[in-house]
Amino acid sequence: MFTGIVETTGTVSAVREGEGARVLTIRAPEVMDDLAPGHSVAVDGACLTAVEVTEDAFTVEVIGTTLSRTVAGGYEVGTRVNLERAMRLGARLDGHMVQGHVDGLGHFQGSREAGEYRLLDFRVPPIVEEVTILHGSIAINGISLTVNAMPGPGLCQVAIIPYTWEVTNLRGLTPGDPVNLEGDLIGKYVGKILAARFGPSSPE
C-alpha cells in the first residue's frame, strides 16, 4: 500500500530486454536507506519488487500485464521516474490509499499557469473515468492528486502546486505523453457493489 506522496525521483540507469520482460535499474540514492530485495517500490505509481539492491540503485523486473498497462515499456536510460516506498503501518496517510495497481494509461493534454499553481489536463480511459468524481482522488504517475475539474467526457483536470511541479516528473511531460493512472480505491469498491446489485449501469 502507498499514499501517493512521491518521496523523490530516480533515473533509469540501465535497461535489459528479456523474454516478455524488461529489467530496469533505477538510480535513487534517496530511497536506499532501508530498501532490501523483496521490498515494494511504486515506480510512477506501479508497484514493483526490488530484486537487486546496491548502495545507490535497485533493479526491478517488469513483466506481462504491467508492461501492457503502464508506461514502463517506454522507459529508456535517463528516464526520470517518481518513487515511493511502501507505507509503514501507523504512519500518517498524507495522500490517499494507493495500491500501486495501475488501471490504465492516460494522456497529457497540456497545462497552463493559474496564479501560483498550474492546471494540468489529462485524457483518461473509461475504466478510470467511471470511478472519478469532482474533488475526489486520482493517482497520476503515482502522485496523489485531487480532481479539480472534469471539463468533458474522458477528461480530468488537476491543480499542481509549485512543490509538486518541482519534485515530480510531471514537468517533463509534453502533450500526448502517456501517464500511469490509478482510479480511486473507494470508487472501485462502490462501483463493484452497485454493479452486483443493479447491473453494469448505475441505477436511475
Side-chain angles (χ1 to χ4, degrees), residues 107-183:
H107 290 87
F108 179 58
Q109 301 296 292
S111 69
R112 65 183 185 278
E113 292 187 5
E116 295 185 357
Y117 58 95
R118 289 176 178 268
L119 296 174
L120 279 64
D121 294 313
F122 295 88
R123 184 162 293 282
V124 301
I127 193 173
V128 175
E129 183 182 18
E130 66 186 15
V131 297
T132 303
I133 62 171
L134 184 64
H135 304 150
S137 298
I138 188 170
I140 300 177
N141 272 1
I143 308 164
S144 174
L145 296 167
T146 299
V147 177
N148 183 69
M150 301 183 72
L155 294 174
C156 175
Q157 182 186 87
V158 295
I160 304 294
I161 62 174
Y163 177 82
T164 303
W165 185 252
E166 289 299 320
V167 303
T168 71
N169 61 9
L170 291 182
R171 60 184 172 138
L173 295 175
T174 58
D177 281 350
V179 293
N180 289 335
L181 297 176
E182 181 180 332

